[in-house]
Amino acid sequence: MNRQQILDLYTWRAGVCFRHPDRGEVPTTLVKVLHPLDTDEHPLRACEDCVVAIEDTKRETAKRTGGTYEPGQVGGSAG
């Protein structure tokens, strides 16, 4: 799959990437919702570059270990 095909698997909205907060609001997708004990839930969002990097890592890991790679599952589910 190419970059755009992978990005099309996700739902995007303006937000702040957990790895690149200095970029400000950019298109992001929900990766996970954290539930700290002392505060309300905290959505963890990733930008397009991070999603592609995470997908690349997941694909390489699956190839190396003989596992199955399913694009669109960053954070466990499409989002």
Side-chain angles (χ1 to χ4, degrees):
M1 295 184 91
N2 69 35
R3 177 184 171 93
Q4 191 57 55
Q5 289 171 317
I6 290 172
L7 295 176
D8 288 345
L9 296 172
Y10 294 92
T11 302
W12 299 93
R13 72 169 181 82
V16 177
C17 177
F18 76 102
R19 290 177 65 191
H20 301 110
D22 55 313
R23 293 182 181 175
E25 284 205 353
V26 296
T28 62
T29 193
L30 183 65
V31 173
K32 187 172 188 165
V33 177
L34 303 177
H35 299 277
L37 294 175
D38 59 343
T39 63
D40 292 330
E41 64 183 32
H42 180 74
L44 192 67
R45 302 192 68 81
C47 68
E48 294 176 353
D49 291 340
C50 289
V51 167
V52 170
I54 294 166
E55 288 280 3
D56 287 345
T57 299
K58 289 179 69 166
R59 183 177 50 251
E60 291 168 13
T61 299
K63 183 178 178 181
R64 187 177 65 250
T65 63
T68 302
Y69 167 66
E70 289 186 45
Q73 302 299 311
V74 167
S77 63

